[in-house]
Amino acid sequence: MSAQPRFTSADDCARYLAEKLGSHLRVAAPLGLGKPHGLLNALYYLTAADATRSLTLYTALSLVRPRPRPGLEARFLQPFLDRHFGSEAEDPEYAVDQQRNALPGNVAVHEFYLQSGALLHAARAQRDYISQNYTHVARDLAGQGINLLVQLVARRETAAGVRYSLSCNPDLTLDFLEESKRAGQARPLCVAVVHPALPYLTGHAEVAADFFDVELAPSQSPRLFAVPRQPVRLAEHALGLHASALVRDGGCLQVGIGALSDALVHALGLRQQDNAAWRRGLEALDGEGRTRALAGRLGGLDPFRVGLYGASEMVMDGFVHLARAGILKRRSWDNLALERAAAEGRLHPDTPGGHYLRGAFFLGSRELYEWIAATEATDPDAIDMGPVSNVNQLYGDHQALAALQRRGARFFNTCMMATLLGAAVSDGLEDGQVVSGVGGQYNFVAMAHELPDGRSVLMLRATREAGGATHTNIRWSYGHVTIPRHLRDLVVTEYGVADLRGKSDSECIEAMLAICDARFLDALAAEAKAHGKLAPGFAIPEAWRRHRPEYLREALRPLRDEGRLPDFPLGSDFTAVEQRLLPALEWLKTSASHWRGRLTLLRALYRPGAERDGEAEALDRMALAAPGNLAERLQRRLLQAALRRAV
């Protein structure tokens, strides 16, 4: 067997691969963090410069740094981006060109999950998108003639030789190679791109040196891509309080990324560590007692004694906080962990062991990556990263163990819209445009119906703002759905929980109306009646008419004033001054999106209002303390108005 070729230059490695594999590269690369941008860029440049070559890339979630627009947005974002990502950061250039509709004709990129909203107006990306369940990607990929697989890995020298860890992305690589073998396909050339900061995880994520055919260990590596943590607003905190009552002690938890998930995690921490305050908040929101009644049947109101087991395709920051709060702690053994513990002499009847968190990929903040590395060093059994087939479904030889591990499972996912009949819209628009992708959402919803005591929980804001108007996210119908109505289960908004499982259509509609924003109740009820799905004599209870933003503000004012519902409950990557600027800039952006708002901005130029504390620091951060021209003076004036009006 010949020695494994090793490179320190991405360009040299790309040229070697091109010479070895020929003119037509068909490449598979992991989603998210595990994508080696440097090598992919080298292959992309090489192909773009030679019309006789072609590159077809199969991947997902190509992470690109935001590109701020000139003006106040750039003044705020550019210094933050430089600080957060570092000057050495690399974007996948094919993704940048996709956004600009400038992808060369000899390059094709097929993704099954897009960076949310980033490619709505990218024609090639929309045409080349492949709609798939996460668990079907490996199967479908096996028939695409892949001749090259590239992946970011961690590397370790051991007494037995070099070992690699698939670390952040064992999700599809293992499944894909197994599916290719089963289909009789030739094994692609596999390239390990070593990143020194990537956490080395053992267990299912660890592979032998001969797993990879080529190693690229760049002399310099950019920082790992870290997702900036976003603020959580009051309505999202309200939703989190309702959702957190549905979680059963001793159960299993899956949760995704975003403000709604952060709100849920924060509320679970509050339930555990300040139960009296958590109950006060829930009681203030839950005037009719609907959520508390469901908690008695499905979840709980007490702190967690046994704790939770995590089984989530994506491991994100929330799990760090759940572990630190003493919530994520119910452990489960599997055969691989048992064998390793026995071999290391750690398997004793009185010794706790096994993992408390199973995932397929991880992505989040640097705090998450540091926690994963530290946990692996001190408690190597705690986190088990493995193939998506082992996480997102119950089929196969692990079915019985997976069902036992996931007892009392609560699978939390977010969606953009829902219908009165219980269907959910999560990935695209009715004109066919793709916002993100199905990912594993359908898998977890379906799994919840297969488990004896599992439940699917879909979370969404009751309304959204667009064009200066408020729109309901609960619709009578919509021309595209991600989750069909026959899989309806639990739906949560800031106004409560709708239990739809096993309900008739009219019961489902009533339950959904009970968690709508009151401003849309009459119109939605009338539409349901017009279609014969709601009894003509149905009357909307007066209690539902309180479901408005001002009701939430009043109900949660005590907890807010006590500091128990912070804007950044899981930590922030923004400075204190930047956190003050965020709502001001959001107010400006919203105002500029419609004519009434633009009139407000025009008046603000003349009467910005009285100065508030911290304004000087904010102006200095935006380099507007001493404006040098008319444009800067206008920007300063608008920013002052926003700082004085935004809440």
Side-chain angles (χ1 to χ4, degrees), residues 441-464:
Q441 184 172 114
Y442 183 93
N443 295 134
F444 282 104
V445 171
M447 196 192 321
H449 287 271
E450 297 299 322
L451 290 164
D453 54 358
R455 300 301 296 263
S456 160
V457 189
L458 294 180
M459 306 182 293
L460 76 157
R461 286 284 304 268
T463 62
R464 68 184 185 280

Side-chain angles (χ1 to χ4, degrees), residues 447-581:
M447 196 192 321
H449 287 271
E450 297 299 322
L451 290 164
D453 54 358
R455 300 301 296 263
S456 160
V457 189
L458 294 180
M459 306 182 293
L460 76 157
R461 286 284 304 268
T463 62
R464 68 184 185 280
E465 303 296 323
T470 303
H471 304 267
T472 178
N473 285 329
I474 297 177
R475 309 276 296 261
W476 164 247
S477 64
Y478 194 71
H480 167 79
V481 298
T482 312
I483 305 300
R485 62 192 268 199
H486 71 269
L487 290 178
R488 59 198 186 197
D489 202 340
L490 293 163
V491 180
V492 187
T493 74
E494 59 265 41
Y495 299 115
V497 183
D499 184 3
L500 311 180
R501 183 181 283 195
K503 300 291 177 64
S504 69
D505 278 359
S506 63
E507 291 172 325
C508 177
I509 291 168
E510 290 183 29
M512 290 297 289
L513 288 172
I515 62 171
C516 284
D517 187 290
R519 291 167 286 184
F520 303 96
L521 275 173
D522 291 317
L524 287 167
E527 196 161 9
K529 289 178 181 179
H531 290 284
K533 285 292 188 176
L534 193 60
F538 173 79
I540 295 169
E542 282 304 309
W544 300 0
R545 297 193 180 278
R546 295 182 301 173
H547 292 167
R548 295 171 178 266
E550 51 268 29
Y551 161 71
L552 298 179
R553 285 195 295 270
E554 190 58 34
L556 295 181
R557 188 186 305 279
L559 288 188
R560 189 74 165 176
D561 291 346
E562 294 165 9
R564 290 187 167 90
L565 302 177
D567 287 341
F568 290 89
L570 305 190
S572 177
D573 303 290
F574 298 103
T575 66
V577 174
E578 289 168 344
Q579 290 178 42
R580 173 167 167 72
L581 280 163

Side-chain angles (χ1 to χ4, degrees), residues 90-145:
E90 287 182 294
D91 287 324
E93 290 302 320
Y94 68 83
V96 174
D97 285 347
Q98 273 185 313
Q99 291 182 357
R100 300 189 300 117
N101 283 304
L103 203 64
N106 61 341
V107 175
V109 181
H110 297 284
E111 298 194 72
F112 69 89
Y113 197 95
L114 309 179
Q115 189 171 359
S116 186
L119 296 169
L120 271 172
H121 305 292
R124 285 281 304 279
Q126 290 291 327
R127 290 197 297 270
D128 291 342
Y129 166 78
I130 300 176
S131 185
Q132 296 165 300
N133 280 344
Y134 201 174
T135 51
H136 296 159
V137 173
R139 176 202 67 191
D140 297 344
L141 201 58
Q144 296 294 345

Side-chain angles (χ1 to χ4, degrees), residues 246-439:
L246 302 173
V247 180
R248 177 178 293 172
D249 190 20
C252 170
L253 182 70
Q254 179 258 331
V255 64
I257 196 168
L260 298 183
S261 297
D262 290 354
L264 165 64
V265 167
H266 177 68
L268 288 169
L270 200 60
R271 173 179 160 183
Q272 177 76 357
Q273 298 177 315
D274 196 346
N275 192 257
W278 177 80
R279 286 182 183 239
R280 279 194 287 116
L282 187 60
E283 288 167 8
L285 291 170
D286 187 34
E288 295 181 284
R290 288 170 174 260
T291 299
R292 284 167 289 169
L294 280 172
R297 185 161 57 87
L298 303 176
L301 298 174
D302 296 320
F304 298 91
R305 183 181 58 82
V306 177
L308 302 179
Y309 170 79
S312 186
E313 71 174 36
M314 178 177 180
V315 172
M316 39 70 80
D317 283 73
F319 288 107
V320 180
H321 296 265
L322 292 172
R324 289 173 177 168
I327 298 171
L328 191 70
K329 62 182 181 181
R330 179 171 72 80
R331 293 185 182 247
S332 174
W333 288 104
D334 62 16
N335 291 337
L336 183 62
L338 282 169
E339 290 171 6
R340 185 172 62 180
E344 295 174 1
R346 294 185 287 105
L347 189 59
H348 305 286
D350 58 345
T351 302
H355 62 277
Y356 55 67
L357 177 58
R358 166 163 284 166
F361 78 98
F362 63 74
L363 177 64
S365 71
R366 290 195 181 83
E367 184 182 8
L368 170 68
Y369 308 152
E370 291 164 2
W371 175 78
I372 289 173
T375 302
E376 171 71 23
T378 58
D379 189 357
D381 294 327
I383 303 171
D384 181 29
M385 299 296 294
V388 73
S389 60
N390 203 282
V391 178
N392 285 30
Q393 61 186 16
L394 295 173
Y395 313 118
D397 57 8
H398 71 292
Q399 180 174 355
L401 178 59
L404 181 62
Q405 290 170 338
R406 297 169 202 192
R407 63 181 183 268
R410 298 294 178 264
F411 301 132
F412 289 90
N413 289 283
T414 60
C415 58
M416 299 185 295
M417 290 176 278
T419 72
L420 286 179
L421 290 170
V425 182
S426 308
D427 67 311
L429 307 178
E430 58 187 349
D431 63 0
Q433 292 289 298
V434 183
V435 176
S436 54
V438 178

